[in-house]
Amino acid sequence: MPNPIPTLTLAEARRVQLSALGLLQPPAAPESKAGVLNAIRQMGALQIDAIHVVARSPYLTLWSRLGEYKPQWLDDLLSERKLFEYWAHAACFLPIEDYPLYRRIMLENTHSWWDSRRWIQEHSETVDFILGRIRAEGPLRSADFEDRRGQRGAWWDWKEEKIALEQLHTAGILMISRREKFQRVYDLAERVLPGWNDEDAPPIETVKRTLALRSVYHLGIAAGRWIADYFRLSKADVARLLEEFVAAGELLIGTIEGWDEPIYVHPGRLELLRQARAGGLEPTLSAVLSPFDPLVWDRARCRALFGFDFSLECYLPQHKRKYGYFCLPLLARGDLVGRMDAKAHRKEGRFEVKSLHLEPHVRLDDALADELIGAVQRCAAWCGAPQVTAARPQDAWIAG
């Protein structure tokens, strides 16, 4: 039987992944709250980060795909129980229909970041205090708890009460009922999802298989080494499962021209590959991306597929930064063409481009300049800082 997977060029493989992740073309119509939920379902997870230099990452990741939309819709979807928060690729907003998968991870205590159950047992006094207040008073923020010890916590200078809230959330005892000015509001899981029954959580092996298959589906095409990272699965588990998936026809194997390693394709993406091979996936979207966008969050995948060597430098000392504190990748019609360090001065209505660096292979012609100027101006206007300025003379063109 002939292989149903057409051999792709690198450009076609890029277009498949852009389409799968919702970054191929701008939306055809104005967006709605339902569009926000659909975008998160398409990605499988929306990573959360609180850095607010331009816009907080989950809001910016959605803007890159949706254009003009109301950030309040994301908050509403969480409050309406159509989303929940948990650890996936990292801390993420997740579709509520995926709660059974992650509930099993909570019950098995297999989350890779820390052993929450053990921490809870070792800090029972603090835990009892936290749970007692939430039971009596209702949903509470970390800010509603004073640091009773008068000293800083071990994680990110967190007080022990904040650590306890996070551990209880990771264990599934608490859930995030809503956010207030982006601060988490914690409540008892049984009050957030009163109808849930733990018997409905699938076995852990089913969870692993489901998330591994979904990783390939969300990526469109995936080298084997990319799959575990998407939902932070065990590499050993994924290596074992890949053989089973291929033998059962649950994944198909394809190739990219010039690559030695195979790529894996979910059968549900075959039509996307055929469209790419036939020239039907035309990239028309140009956008500013979040550093935590799923297109770039796996640095090795980004280098291999797009030739874009990206890293976030905000965690480095200033003297070690090459591009700036909070660089944002720049997507222009299917190519990652550069990065921009920017800051939104909302009170002044000004969007400051501190520096802009195009990739060495990129030639700045009028067409590309128009694409990038438009993308930056749209982003600036959405951020409430419509006046674009450039801090360096060589970047003045980006201000239009």
Side-chain angles (χ1 to χ4, degrees):
M1 181 180 295
N3 190 341
I5 305 291
T7 296
L8 299 175
T9 66
L10 185 58
E12 290 164 351
R14 290 174 177 176
R15 293 178 180 191
V16 168
Q17 189 154 112
L18 288 166
S19 181
L21 291 173
L23 287 170
L24 189 73
Q25 297 169 343
E31 280 305 332
S32 63
K33 191 190 297 185
V36 171
L37 182 57
N38 288 336
I40 297 170
R41 286 172 171 158
Q42 183 172 13
M43 293 181 283
L46 177 62
Q47 187 171 345
I48 301 168
D49 190 86
I51 298 175
H52 199 32
V53 177
V54 171
R56 290 189 174 96
S57 180
Y59 302 111
L60 181 57
T61 297
L62 290 170
W63 173 85
S64 300
R65 289 156 174 77
L66 305 177
E68 286 292 327
Y69 81 101
K70 296 179 181 179
Q72 181 62 41
W73 290 339
L74 177 59
D75 302 344
D76 291 346
L77 289 167
L78 179 64
S79 300
E80 294 165 5
R81 311 295 185 253
K82 294 178 181 176
L83 297 174
F84 71 104
E85 292 188 32
Y86 198 64
W87 299 96
H89 178 79
C92 290
F93 292 107
L94 299 160
I96 195 64
E97 59 266 26
D98 290 346
Y99 180 77
L101 298 173
Y102 292 93
R103 181 59 182 164
R104 174 54 62 192
I105 292 173
M106 300 171 197
L107 293 170
E108 297 286 332
N109 198 29
T110 58
H111 187 273
S112 61
W113 292 79
W114 47 71
D115 188 342
S116 295
R117 298 288 176 177
R118 180 177 178 181
W119 192 97
I120 289 168
Q121 291 174 359
E122 293 175 350
H123 298 80
S124 58
E125 181 181 341
T126 299
V127 167
D128 290 345
F129 170 71
I130 296 284
L131 292 177
R133 281 197 59 187
I134 292 176
R135 287 192 186 99
E137 301 174 37
L140 295 174
R141 306 165 301 157
S142 172
D144 295 320
F145 295 90
E146 295 182 4
D147 187 345
R148 297 179 298 155
R149 300 181 309 163
Q151 63 187 52
R152 293 183 180 276
W155 297 353
W156 297 284
D157 289 334
W158 284 353
K159 60 192 176 186
E160 188 174 31
E161 288 75 9
K162 170 62 174 174
I163 298 172
L165 288 166
E166 290 299 313
Q167 295 283 18
L168 288 163
H169 173 243
T170 300
I173 298 168
L174 296 180
M175 291 184 70
I176 311 304
S177 65
R178 64 182 187 277
R179 281 183 177 254
E180 294 180 358
K181 296 181 179 179
F182 209 67
Q183 293 184 51
R184 283 175 157 182
V185 181
Y186 303 81
D187 199 1
L188 301 173
E190 60 263 31
R191 291 202 297 226
V192 176
L193 293 179
W196 172 256
N197 187 331
D198 280 344
E199 293 182 0
D200 295 332
I204 192 64
E205 183 65 15
T206 300
V207 173
K208 294 175 182 178
R209 294 179 64 88
T210 301
L211 292 179
L213 285 170
R214 287 190 185 179
S215 297
V216 180
Y217 183 83
H218 290 307
L219 288 170
I221 53 102
R225 56 196 168 97
W226 303 344
I227 297 170
D229 176 78
Y230 202 85
F231 289 114
R232 296 289 167 86
L233 303 172
S234 159
K235 292 181 181 179
D237 283 338
V238 170
R240 169 179 58 84
L241 289 169
L242 280 178
E243 294 184 10
E244 297 179 16
F245 291 152
V246 172
E250 293 177 274
L251 288 181
L252 305 171
I253 296 181
T255 56
I256 296 175
E257 289 180 7
W259 283 32
D260 294 329
E261 63 182 319
I263 57 168
Y264 295 88
V265 179
H266 192 285
R269 293 300 195 190
L270 270 179
E271 181 58 30
L272 201 59
L273 267 68
R274 295 187 181 117
Q275 289 178 31
R277 201 72 183 106
L281 298 181
E282 182 62 31
T284 58
L285 177 65
S286 294
V288 178
L289 303 185
S290 162
F292 304 103
D293 193 289
L295 188 71
V296 299
W297 71 25
D298 183 338
R299 310 317 189 198
R301 167 165 53 88
C302 192
R303 280 195 303 270
L305 200 54
F306 289 89
F308 190 67
D309 193 3
F310 178 73
S311 62
L312 183 61
E313 299 179 346
C314 63
Y315 303 114
L316 296 176
Q318 186 169 358
H319 69 278
K320 291 187 177 181
R321 294 175 193 151
K322 182 177 180 181
Y323 297 110
Y325 176 78
F326 197 63
C327 267
L328 309 172
L330 298 173
L331 176 70
R333 291 181 174 264
D335 192 12
L336 290 167
V337 298
R339 65 202 81 202
M340 172 184 70
D341 187 27
K343 180 176 177 62
H345 302 273
R346 290 173 180 79
K347 291 183 179 179
E348 303 172 25
R350 182 171 65 89
F351 190 92
E352 178 188 12
V353 177
K354 295 185 173 184
S355 66
L356 192 151
H357 303 269
L358 296 178
E359 291 296 279
H361 72 278
V362 172
R363 175 177 169 268
L364 184 64
D365 56 19
D366 289 346
L368 178 59
D370 286 346
E371 290 291 328
L372 294 179
I373 289 168
V376 172
Q377 289 185 337
R378 290 191 299 273
C379 183
W382 174 75
C383 287
Q387 181 189 1
V388 178
T389 63
R392 306 189 309 173
Q394 63 264 43
D395 301 330
W397 60 271
I398 196 64

